[in-house]
Amino acid sequence: MKQKAECPLYTVGMLSWVEIDATALRNNLELFREKVGDKVELAPVVKSNAYGHGMMTVTGLCQDMADRLCVNSLGEAAALRQAGVELPIVVMGYVEQADLPELVSLDIQPVVTSLETLDRLAGEVVRQARTLKVHLKVETGTHRQGVPLRELQPFVLKIKASPGLELEGLSTHYANIEDTTDHSFAMAQIATFGAARKAVEGWLGKPVPVCHTACSAATLLLKETHMDLVRIGIALYGLWPSRETLVSCREEGGDLPDLRPVMTWKSRIAQVRSVEEGSYIGYGCTYRTTRESKIAVLPVGYNEGYDRRLSGTGHVLVRGRRAPVRGRVCMNMTMVDVTDIPGAALEDEAVLLGAQHDEQISAGQLAGWCGTIAYEVVTRVNPTLPRIVVNPGH
Ligand SMILES: *Cc1c(COP(=O)(O)O)cnc(C)c1O
């Protein structure tokens, strides 16, 4: 793969940047390899700019350990092919009818959930004199994508009757695995999936090569979900899918996997100024100093992905200590209180997400402050900020 920069808008004057810990990423993937054994495929999920970590950067770092890649859109898959990635790529999201010829010519595996798409693909592989491996998605309880068992037969018969199409995979996705420590809904989904698999294999007259259902939480918690391939997203980036997943894992006993966060988001102080007691800070005058204070300006705001809900709530790290956000987060700037951080000075490094000395601000903590989940926090870091690989190991 040609290692290209993650194409920031500007190549000079970057006021904040994302560091990607290569060793942590590979450690996380190795941990999953150990967990699932040699016979199960590992499919890193690199959709949404690899959950904000940089799709090209992450793919470059882990493709030698991956069996397949999962993305959301054909655009993402095409970008990977353009960069020279030859691994099988599965597009999990919708591909528009007009884009199906491109999908066939790039040899990207779709997850099919409609007969219209399947018919078009059957025609297209003939037209291009190519073959294509497709996956079918079974509805088992999410009611998002997926074909219910009672509607599956025509899909299978169509594939069977189309010389250029091959049923490579049968998949589903769990509805209620991250949000609870009770896995009965997931177990019911596994049963529904099993029934669909049996029916499909009956119609097809042979086994489906790759059955896959597991996301990170399922892979961590339920061995019976592993089947032939696991789709690892959030945990690849060293983040627990949820507190409930962590609690469930802990309750099961055994060793907790040592997931290591991959992303650190940094900036530098752009100004430090003393402010008198009783002064207002920022838009809306939502914070008033209660003492003479030292207020630092960080050149990062909600445009860069620093959520406006962190106004008056979040903290950043400066010199290994917490500096609380004062007043509102602006579009490109945020004010923080460094009164209690001796020596805090212009162009000191500030950590918005990640560790500095002995302190840490986790994606989970930022998510808690914002009323969201760690997935959204990392995914929203503006893709135009540079992703820089650190800690390469050897
Ligand atoms: C995003 C996604 C995953 C990965 O989920 P994580 O919880 O991030 O591991 C797996 N499967 C499908 C269908 C997805 O859309």
Side-chain angles (χ1 to χ4, degrees), residues 45 47 51 92 137 144 173 178 215-216 231 233-234 375:
V45 178
K47 67 189 179 191
Y51 294 35
M92 304 185 295
K137 188 156 190 179
R144 185 174 74 170
H173 192 51
E178 291 92 1
C215 57
S216 298
R231 308 183 300 256
I234 196 77
Y375 290 75

Side-chain angles (χ1 to χ4, degrees), residues 48-52 263 374-383 387:
S48 304
N49 201 29
Y51 294 35
M263 177 188 287
Y375 290 75
E376 187 179 352
V377 169
V378 287
T379 302
R380 286 197 171 227
V381 178
N382 191 314
R387 271 64 178 170

Side-chain angles (χ1 to χ4, degrees), residues 14-19 264-268 349 385-386 388:
M14 293 309 314
L15 296 172
S16 87
W17 67 97
V18 172
E19 294 182 355
T264 303
W265 182 12
K266 293 182 175 177
S267 183
R268 282 198 188 92
E349 209 166 84
L385 304 183
I388 295 163

Side-chain angles (χ1 to χ4, degrees), residues 109-302:
Q109 303 176 8
V111 178
V112 175
T113 60
S114 89
L115 278 172
E116 291 88 325
T117 295
L118 197 55
D119 280 339
R120 291 240 190 176
L121 285 173
E124 197 53 38
V125 288
V126 171
R127 225 176 47 78
Q128 295 190 28
R130 284 175 171 270
T131 58
L132 185 71
K133 293 179 169 171
V134 303
H135 301 245
L136 288 179
K137 188 156 190 179
V138 185
E139 170 51 52
T140 60
T142 308
H143 296 98
R144 185 174 74 170
Q145 301 162 298
V147 184
L149 173 52
R150 63 178 180 278
E151 294 169 26
L152 259 179
Q153 192 178 22
F155 286 80
V156 178
L157 297 183
K158 179 81 200 172
I159 294 170
K160 205 176 169 187
S162 306
L165 294 183
E166 206 178 308
L167 183 56
E168 168 82 345
L170 195 67
S171 74
T172 197
H173 192 51
Y174 295 101
N176 195 22
I177 201 155
E178 291 92 1
D179 297 302
T180 171
T181 54
D182 168 6
H183 299 122
S184 52
F185 199 85
M187 296 311 285
Q189 285 188 268
I190 294 175
T192 307
F193 183 80
R197 174 185 196 161
K198 199 156 168 248
V200 167
E201 292 184 340
W203 299 318
L204 199 63
K206 58 180 181 186
V208 177
V210 186
C211 285
H212 52 107
T213 67
C215 57
S216 298
T219 307
L220 288 166
L221 293 173
L222 300 169
K223 195 160 181 46
E224 51 273 63
T225 65
H226 295 183
M227 301 186 198
D228 304 306
L229 174 151
V230 294
R231 308 183 300 256
I232 306 299
I234 196 77
L236 173 64
Y237 308 107
L239 305 176
W240 281 85
S242 66
R243 199 180 291 263
E244 287 79 359
T245 310
L246 178 62
V247 169
S248 296
C249 246
R250 203 170 263 152
E251 278 174 357
E252 278 172 17
D255 291 341
L256 267 192
D258 174 29
L259 295 176
R260 298 192 204 158
V262 172
M263 177 188 287
T264 303
W265 182 12
K266 293 182 175 177
S267 183
R268 282 198 188 92
I269 291 178
Q271 174 185 287
V272 186
R273 194 151 265 153
S274 287
V275 174
E276 283 173 25
E277 179 183 338
S279 307
Y280 294 104
I281 310 291
Y283 290 131
C285 297
T286 58
Y287 181 79
R288 192 172 192 187
T289 55
T290 56
R291 56 177 174 167
E292 186 182 341
S293 303
K294 265 170 61 187
I295 300 293
V297 177
L298 300 178
V300 178
Y302 57 81

